[in-house]
Amino acid sequence: MMSINPFSVLAETISPAAIQFFVLAMIALIIIGTIIQMIHHKNVTYFFNNAKKAKLSADRELGAAEKTSVILKTVVHDIATTAELGAGKRRVAHVLGMYGTILFWVASVVMVFCYTGKEIMTPTIWPMIWHIGAIMTCVGGYWFWLFLRVDVLAEAHPWYRIIKADLFVLALLACATTGLAWSYFQSSNSMGLSYLFLILFITSNIVLFGGVYWSKFAHMFYKPGAAIQKNLAEADGSRDNLPPLADAPKQFGLGIKREQPKHY
Amino acid sequence: MSTFVYMTRCDGCGHCVDICPSDIMHIDENIRRAVNIEPNFCWECYSCVKACPNHAIDVRGYADFAPMGHSVRVRREEEKGTISWKIKFRNGTTKDFVSPITTKPWGKFIPKLAEVDKPNQGEINSQRLYTEPKGLNIDGDLPSVPKDSFKKGVYY
Amino acid sequence: MAKHKTHFEDCDVLVVGGGMAGTGATFEARHWGRDMKIICVEKANIDRSGAVAQGLYAINCYMGMQWGENQPEDHVRYARNDLMGMVREDLGYDMARHVDSTVHMFDEWGLPMMKNEKTGRYLREGKWQIMIHGESYKPIVAEAAKKSADKIYNRIMITHLLMDETQQNRVGGAVGFNMRTGDFHVFRSKTVIVAAGGASHIFKPRAVGEGMGRTWYAPWSNGSAYALPIAAGAKMTQMENRIVLCRFKDGYGPVGAYFLHLKTYTQNANGENYEKKWYDQTKELVGEYIDHHPTPTCLRNHAFIQETMAGGGPIHMVTTEAFQDPHLETVGWENFLGMTVGQAVVWASQNIDPKYTNPELTTSEPYVMGSHATCSGAWVSGPEDLSPPEYFWGYNRMLTIDGLFGAGDTVGGSAHKFSSGSFTEGRLAAKAAVKYIEDKKAEGIKVSDKQCEDFKATVYKPLENYTVGQNEITGGTVSPSYISPIQGLQRLQRIMDEYVGGIATNYMTNGNMLKRGLELLAWLEEDLENVGAKDYHELMRAWELKHRALTSQCVTEHTMFREETRWPGYYYRGDHMKLDDDNWHCLTVSRRDPKTGKFSLEKVPVYHIVDENEKKKAS
């Protein structure tokens, strides 16, 4: 299953153009959803107002080279390794899910646009990436969903409680899971189940990308912006009004911060 | 007063939920981030502010009597044993303070009483507590008052 | 209604509350009961729970016997004087002779204590107080408790004590619910040490919006220290002795370091030292007590209140002189940051820099607790070697219910113990509890499943009230069939404020007002059967309210009983506007009958075990 491009098999029944149109439609949904959210929430206005205010309490002006360096460091460290989540399971789960989804989406686009024509052979690397991406998304996502969600871990809500905040992660998991199931049943020729999971896969994608306005989807764009702003504020001394790091050696170990936030 | 949580900084880790003595820091259902659900039961104790790994929580003085535009922010660094404060007045004046929060590695010099020497036979009947009388650093034993000095009613 | 799981736990020492007293009890219990099962149950998270959540800047109770600074009898004279004679001197002496060893342990554990550079001793703020950098005071003592306990339960609110069904008047444990999981917890225990919180929010606070949160004493101190023993039928003492504090306006920030270390002073709006003006009037009220040194806390309040009523306000503290010294300025600010951050927030918001502005003071709404310049609480036995026969019945800090012990704000009569003294009292109670078990006094305790089941139904009833009651209305907060916890709380606060000597009447009350207050409290008690809670957090608020309401009834009964004005500045009996040593130089003790709900009160003699003039030579 892992080396078969499920889209090219599908292209035998549905025209490649239709599949490609669907992908483009999903991309359009992301853009539209995010833009409408930004307009309604005026979050860009807030963001730039805040940056202007912060500049007033800056100790120093940052040069272009310095700014670039901070931004690059932020991208490579904070964003690429989800540093904000600190050391621990949540970060591992997020990194797994994040790269899994990236691989899954990239491989989807590549396979749909480059390898769905008749008689075009898909190099095995791409279906491998697609399936591995989906599996990584499932591992990170289900781990998060069942055990690591803060409302489950710190507030003792049952794992099956669904709230609006779960829209993104559940839709994403649905896509990855149904995608894998579709690929499996299609490659083993169980046509009924294959179609079932294909329809579910299509639906999950529509929910995921159509729900951008209501879900936490767009946070994947906002958070990197916030991380860059935070590191620039740290560099120019404004630091969001926080005091600077203390000038003292790290000699006492961890106290109450050594434990997980689960004391009940 | 009350605590509030910055949208751009909170990532829903739950440390504030776990530590709040008033049980008012909880997770919002729409965005899975922390929120103060009962500001009128917030003591401004700063436990959540100090516990947040991302400095995502801040305080806005009680709306009843605190004009806007102020800021009192903190950085509690356990490994360094320090707590740093930055106070910003409404008129822009700032004050910075740094204090120690421990003199020893956390917990290292707190004994596990199950493992220290057991009290002597009969010590349970004395008035002495653990480490006493040595722990009082005085000559002699625990102070006491002779019972015949007890007087009832108005004395002085 | 959803089924709630029940968890049973059997233990030897159950400590209810993980604050200063609870951590002291849990810690010390292990030393004496090596093989015993020691459990501590805390409503919040023991690392930051209780009144010391944000830290403290001073330890207000340290003798310094090692340097001849104070002896325990000095503490007794001081506490007795401050409370106008009404303290349990045996309890005070007992706490004072041990507190130094507690403080020395804190030092060893890592609590930063400021040192006097010249003498190398702990830096004194005043005669009784030493200065600390205590932001992490609570996490440090919590760690000590964790190392001793078999288990610390967090986020469980204990709602009721269990009674033994084989022997009259013997405790059997406690029950409560977990506000995260919603589960019911039954702790069957040979001894119970109540080390819960005193009572804030029973009188209407000055700020009623968001500012309600800025109480002087923690808002999560809901009087469980009193309600648990009262409901079980234990005797209580001095519940009329509520405390009013003179603190910085709005933020209620502490003034101790300012007066003692910075040597600031107060003045009225015309720049006068107003306290002297009220000397004669106060002397009329209380006689020679006004001539004692230091002036009792309540009498200083009294002058403040009179001056304000006479139009001399607002009253300020003169800080502009002291704050010119940069060291004192640092102390002045850090005093808040390590103890009451909210005051720094208030000043920052109002551009108050004490270097240039003299900040305003105010008197707070009343609080009921037992560890400060006040000593409301349970009536307990003292130690064998110090207590007169009326004050001793077998085990130190045991209440009038066998096997039930108290420490900290729970215990009445032992004033001025503060944080270190409360921890110390916990240690004393723990040792006595272990002795009680070793003396085989806790044999054969039986707690039936029925007793637990009955409590379980009671505990979860507010959830039921809400769910069922929701069917009647379309939505919103107004229902004819149930009240929310905040609605009940605001009603309670108004009753106490208007009838039992709150700020509405400038702390004035009288027999008629108290009678009306009791009537209204009785109706509130009935209506509390219909408090509704929508989730476990609100359920906790509902039980906090119930504990507050029961405490308030006791406070009102005591206030009614003492027919004199013993502590002007804390409260006044308009119908008995004088201190009456002939008839009332005694303690008040009450007991509520668990079956009928009726209170009965009696006078109990005050024993003075320490002479006034005699001073023991420094050792």
Side-chain angles (χ1 to χ4, degrees):
Chain A
M1 144 189 154
M2 305 265 294
S3 51
I4 301 173
N5 173 352
F7 297 103
S8 64
V9 175
L10 181 65
E12 290 161 17
T13 339
I14 300 175
S15 80
I19 306 173
Q20 287 161 5
F21 175 78
F22 184 83
V23 172
L24 290 173
M26 294 303 102
I27 295 173
L29 279 176
I30 299 175
I31 296 170
I32 293 168
T34 305
I35 290 177
I36 295 182
Q37 195 185 69
M38 281 163 60
I39 293 173
H40 269 196
H41 289 190
K42 294 195 197 264
N43 45 30
V44 176
T45 313
Y46 160 72
F47 194 74
F48 282 112
N49 284 354
N50 202 40
K52 258 194 288 180
K53 228 188 340 167
K55 249 197 157 145
L56 296 172
S57 46
D59 287 337
R60 41 193 278 268
E61 181 92 41
L62 290 177
E66 238 188 313
K67 275 195 198 155
T68 316
S69 148
V70 169
I71 292 171
L72 276 171
K73 260 193 261 179
T74 308
V75 170
V76 166
H77 179 249
D78 294 45
I79 297 168
T81 67
T82 318
E84 121 181 278
L85 294 181
K89 301 179 198 166
R90 285 195 321 137
R91 187 171 178 185
V92 175
H94 187 268
V95 165
L96 258 178
M98 176 170 81
Y99 285 108
T101 304
I102 291 172
L103 292 174
F104 185 60
W105 285 348
V106 167
S108 299
V109 170
V110 167
M111 291 201 291
V112 164
F113 282 90
C114 304
Y115 299 110
T116 47
K118 286 195 171 67
E119 273 117 55
I120 301 179
M121 289 302 294
T122 317
T124 27
I125 183 76
W126 286 112
M128 292 294 293
I129 291 175
W130 190 86
H131 288 92
I132 289 171
I135 291 168
M136 280 168 68
T137 306
C138 286
V139 171
Y142 283 115
W143 186 16
F144 175 74
W145 170 255
L146 294 168
F147 302 109
L148 304 179
R149 270 182 303 158
V150 64
D151 41 315
V152 170
L153 183 80
E155 289 196 311
H157 284 293
W159 64 266
Y160 47 80
R161 170 186 178 254
I162 296 177
I163 53 179
K164 188 172 169 212
D166 293 324
L167 175 58
F168 173 62
V169 67
L170 277 183
L172 188 64
L173 277 174
C175 287
T177 311
T178 53
L180 283 170
W182 162 56
S183 168
Y184 173 74
F185 287 117
Q186 184 176 258
S187 68
S188 65
N189 267 308
S190 323
M191 290 334 281
L193 285 168
S194 168
Y195 275 125
L196 169 67
F197 282 106
L198 172 63
I199 291 169
L200 288 174
F201 181 54
I202 292 170
T203 315
S204 308
N205 277 284
I206 293 173
V207 170
L208 175 66
F209 296 108
V212 165
Y213 177 76
W214 296 275
S215 75
K216 292 176 73 172
F217 194 114
H219 290 210
M220 70 173 82
F221 310 129
Y222 307 148
K223 275 287 187 173
I228 291 170
Q229 180 268 323
K230 182 185 88 166
N231 289 340
L232 287 172
E234 197 67 53
D236 75 10
S238 60
R239 244 182 263 113
D240 300 330
N241 290 330
L242 280 166
L245 286 152
D247 182 15
K250 289 189 177 182
Q251 52 178 324
F252 295 116
L254 285 175
I256 56 181
K257 292 194 173 193
R258 66 175 90 98
E259 290 170 10
Q260 268 210 100
K262 186 177 190 257
H263 294 94
Y264 57 81
Chain B
M1 119 118 120
S2 305
T3 57
F4 63 93
V5 183
Y6 288 115
M7 182 66 155
T8 48
R9 298 278 180 265
C10 175
D11 62 52
C13 71
H15 273 98
C16 58
V17 176
D18 188 58
I19 199 69
C20 177
S22 200
D23 191 39
I24 60 175
M25 294 307 286
H26 285 276
I27 301 298
D28 178 281
E29 291 191 359
N30 295 319
I31 54 173
R32 208 194 327 274
R33 296 203 179 127
V35 68
N36 178 336
I37 62 165
E38 218 173 7
N40 61 348
F41 274 88
C42 179
W43 204 32
E44 286 190 353
C45 76
Y46 272 75
S47 297
C48 59
V49 180
K50 295 168 186 170
C52 179
N54 293 329
H55 303 292
I57 309 184
D58 199 349
V59 162
R60 190 270 278 127
Y62 301 96
D64 300 35
F65 46 76
M68 300 169 76
H70 54 276
S71 160
V72 177
R73 300 209 75 183
V74 65
R75 207 187 276 267
R76 181 173 180 267
E77 295 175 87
E78 278 189 339
E79 289 168 303
K80 297 178 187 171
T82 57
I83 188 143
S84 310
W85 296 90
K86 191 182 217 26
I87 300 174
K88 209 167 187 185
F89 283 37
R90 179 183 164 100
N91 62 20
T93 309
T94 57
K95 293 186 190 289
D96 291 79
F97 299 97
V98 185
S99 300
I101 55 178
T102 183
T103 55
K104 309 247 170 85
W106 300 97
K108 186 146 183 258
F109 291 86
I110 299 177
K112 224 173 179 283
L113 291 184
E115 290 163 11
V116 311
D117 289 337
K118 285 199 178 149
N120 296 326
Q121 268 272 56
E123 189 72 353
I124 186 105
N125 298 313
S126 76
Q127 290 298 327
R128 290 181 285 272
L129 294 174
Y130 169 65
T131 72
E132 292 175 354
K134 208 157 152 274
L136 295 166
N137 291 347
I138 55 175
D139 300 321
D141 208 336
L142 208 56
S144 187
V145 172
K147 283 208 177 175
D148 55 22
S149 72
F150 294 177
K151 285 186 168 62
K152 194 173 9 183
V154 186
Y155 182 68
Y156 51 95
Chain C
M1 199 178 74
K3 275 241 130 210
H4 292 104
K5 250 197 304 189
T6 303
H7 302 267
F8 289 92
E9 178 97 64
D10 291 289
C11 55
D12 296 301
V13 180
L14 177 71
V15 180
V16 176
M20 289 307 298
T23 48
T26 308
F27 171 72
E28 184 87 12
R30 179 59 66 203
H31 182 62
W32 303 100
R34 292 295 163 114
D35 302 315
M36 290 191 182
K37 185 121 178 255
I38 299 162
I39 306 270
C40 177
V41 183
E42 162 56 52
K43 185 177 75 176
N45 180 329
I46 199 173
D47 286 326
R48 285 284 186 193
S49 62
V52 184
Q54 41 191 318
L56 286 177
Y57 197 66
I59 284 179
N60 284 354
C61 184
Y62 176 69
M63 300 299 118
M65 296 194 294
Q66 61 175 320
W67 299 308
E69 290 176 340
N70 298 294
Q71 300 303 323
E73 50 263 43
D74 298 319
H75 167 85
V76 171
R77 291 186 193 107
Y78 171 64
R80 162 175 81 202
N81 171 59
D82 202 55
L83 272 299
M84 311 292 276
M86 302 295 107
V87 293
R88 277 277 300 270
E89 297 193 10
D90 58 327
L91 299 178
Y93 189 97
D94 187 32
M95 180 280 301
R97 65 180 169 176
H98 291 287
V99 73
D100 281 12
S101 75
T102 296
V103 173
H104 299 155
M105 281 199 301
F106 291 163
D107 190 359
E108 265 173 52
W109 295 352
L111 182 68
M113 329 268 294
M114 295 192 214
K115 299 267 162 63
N116 181 319
E117 279 162 4
K118 278 189 243 112
T119 62
R121 301 179 183 179
Y122 297 137
L123 182 63
R124 282 263 170 218
E125 189 179 88
K127 185 159 162 63
W128 303 100
Q129 306 83 346
I130 55 175
M131 298 170 77
I132 61 172
H133 287 290
E135 182 278 340
S136 288
Y137 197 176
K138 190 70 216 294
I140 290 173
V141 304
E143 180 101 46
K146 287 184 204 177
K147 287 196 169 187
S148 278
D150 281 282
K151 186 152 182 201
I152 310 270
Y153 283 89
N154 290 306
R155 300 294 171 191
I156 295 183
M157 180 173 182
I158 295 294
T159 53
H160 301 88
L161 294 173
L162 291 166
M163 295 300 278
D164 172 27
E165 289 165 49
T166 59
Q167 215 173 286
Q168 272 269 58
N169 202 41
R170 188 164 71 156
V171 81
V175 298
F177 69 96
N178 183 316
M179 63 193 76
R180 294 276 181 267
T181 63
D183 295 342
F184 191 61
H185 286 258
V186 175
F187 298 96
R188 292 182 290 231
S189 185
K190 294 192 170 165
T191 59
V192 177
I193 303 177
V194 177
S200 64
H201 272 316
I202 60 176
F203 285 86
K204 189 206 275 185
R206 286 200 183 274
V208 296
E210 237 179 46
M212 228 179 101
R214 182 97 289 282
T215 44
W216 163 75
Y217 183 50
W220 41 84
S221 297
N222 62 278
S224 294
Y226 311 126
L228 291 171
I230 292 172
K235 286 188 177 174
M236 308 296 289
T237 185
Q238 296 301 89
M239 292 298 284
E240 69 277 16
N241 179 205
R242 80 290 286 282
I243 184 172
V244 164
L245 301 110
C246 174
R247 294 288 184 271
F248 286 113
K249 181 134 186 318
D250 297 333
Y252 287 154
V255 297
Y258 280 70
F259 282 132
L260 297 167
H261 191 78
L262 273 61
K263 309 270 188 269
T264 56
Y265 53 92
T266 57
Q267 67 185 22
N268 67 12
N270 296 322
E272 302 165 338
N273 175 340
Y274 60 89
E275 284 190 70
K276 311 193 258 223
K277 283 162 60 179
W278 300 98
Y279 173 83
D280 291 327
Q281 191 248 37
T282 312
K283 189 137 190 180
E284 284 264 327
L285 262 179
V286 302
E288 50 90 18
Y289 285 87
I290 186 61
D291 295 317
H292 294 180
H293 283 293
T295 312
T297 305
C298 62
L299 298 183
R300 300 200 66 189
N301 282 0
H302 174 68
F304 188 109
I305 294 162
Q306 298 308 304
E307 181 66 18
T308 316
M309 283 209 290
I315 295 182
H316 292 88
M317 181 188 280
V318 179
T319 53
T320 47
E321 296 158 10
F323 265 67
Q324 300 306 318
D325 175 344
H327 159 74
L328 294 181
E329 180 185 12
T330 303
V331 168
W333 282 102
E334 288 191 343
N335 178 45
F336 296 150
L337 298 173
M339 185 150 61
T340 307
V341 190
Q343 189 62 57
V345 176
V346 168
W347 284 359
S349 75
Q350 297 181 10
N351 293 332
I352 295 174
D353 186 336
K355 242 204 296 223
Y356 311 115
T357 315
N358 291 325
E360 211 179 312
L361 295 166
T362 187
T363 51
S364 71
E365 62 279 3
Y367 296 84
V368 178
M369 38 102 77
S371 58
H372 207 275
T374 180
C375 51
S376 302
W379 183 242
V380 300
S381 168
E384 186 158 17
D385 68 328
L386 290 176
S387 303
E390 277 107 309
Y391 293 176
F392 176 73
W393 53 90
Y395 297 91
N396 198 356
R397 276 25 185 219
M398 191 168 79
L399 279 67
T400 53
I401 293 177
D402 290 336
L404 181 63
F405 295 80
D409 283 309
T410 307
V411 169
S414 60
H416 281 271
K417 53 198 170 193
F418 301 99
S419 62
S420 49
S422 295
F423 190 94
T424 304
E425 207 164 51
R427 298 173 68 197
L428 292 166
K431 182 179 182 190
V434 169
K435 180 166 192 302
Y436 174 90
I437 296 171
E438 285 192 354
D439 290 349
K440 305 271 182 277
K441 294 285 164 65
E443 305 294 291
I445 296 177
K446 182 173 185 299
V447 169
S448 66
D449 282 348
K450 178 170 191 309
Q451 192 186 159
C452 302
E453 286 300 311
D454 288 345
F455 276 129
K456 186 174 178 180
T458 307
V459 166
Y460 291 105
K461 184 121 192 309
L463 292 171
E464 169 98 1
N465 290 342
Y466 179 82
T467 308
V468 172
Q470 280 281 283
N471 288 296
E472 190 171 19
I473 51 177
T474 54
T477 57
V478 181
S479 158
S481 309
Y482 68 85
I483 55 172
S484 68
I486 187 69
Q487 289 168 349
L489 182 65
Q490 287 171 338
R491 188 165 136 200
L492 171 68
Q493 290 180 341
R494 256 201 90 165
I495 295 169
M496 297 302 283
D497 184 45
E498 292 174 348
Y499 295 99
V500 193
I503 54 182
T505 57
N506 273 316
Y507 317 103
M508 173 65 73
T509 185
N510 63 41
N512 293 322
M513 290 162 77
L514 292 165
K515 204 158 140 264
R516 179 61 178 157
L518 284 174
E519 242 173 34
L520 293 171
L521 287 172
W523 281 342
L524 178 63
E525 184 187 355
E526 289 172 16
D527 287 352
L528 288 183
E529 287 305 303
N530 298 315
V531 69
K534 65 176 187 286
D535 50 32
Y536 298 125
H537 170 81
E538 235 186 15
L539 183 63
M540 183 260 297
R541 292 285 184 243
W543 281 100
E544 287 187 336
L545 170 62
K546 289 186 185 237
H547 285 190
R548 285 188 163 112
L550 182 55
T551 302
S552 302
Q553 285 179 318
C554 189
V555 167
T556 311
E557 293 274 357
H558 272 255
T559 310
M560 177 90 108
F561 183 67
R562 181 180 283 279
E563 289 173 348
E564 66 156 353
T565 299
R566 170 64 51 173
W567 308 278
Y570 284 170
Y571 76 99
Y572 306 87
R573 274 293 295 264
D575 47 352
H576 299 280
M577 273 297 269
K578 240 174 137 71
L579 185 146
D580 180 4
D581 264 342
D582 293 331
N583 294 304
W584 288 98
H585 196 92
C586 58
L587 303 170
T588 61
V589 165
S590 69
R591 181 179 181 268
R592 177 185 176 276
D593 184 328
K595 292 196 203 70
T596 63
K598 291 261 164 301
F599 283 86
S600 50
L601 286 102
E602 54 176 327
K603 292 183 182 182
V604 170
V606 166
Y607 276 95
H608 295 296
I609 69 174
V610 166
D611 212 320
E612 183 56 32
N613 298 312
E614 191 180 313
K615 268 185 160 38
K616 220 183 179 166
K617 284 205 201 78
S619 51

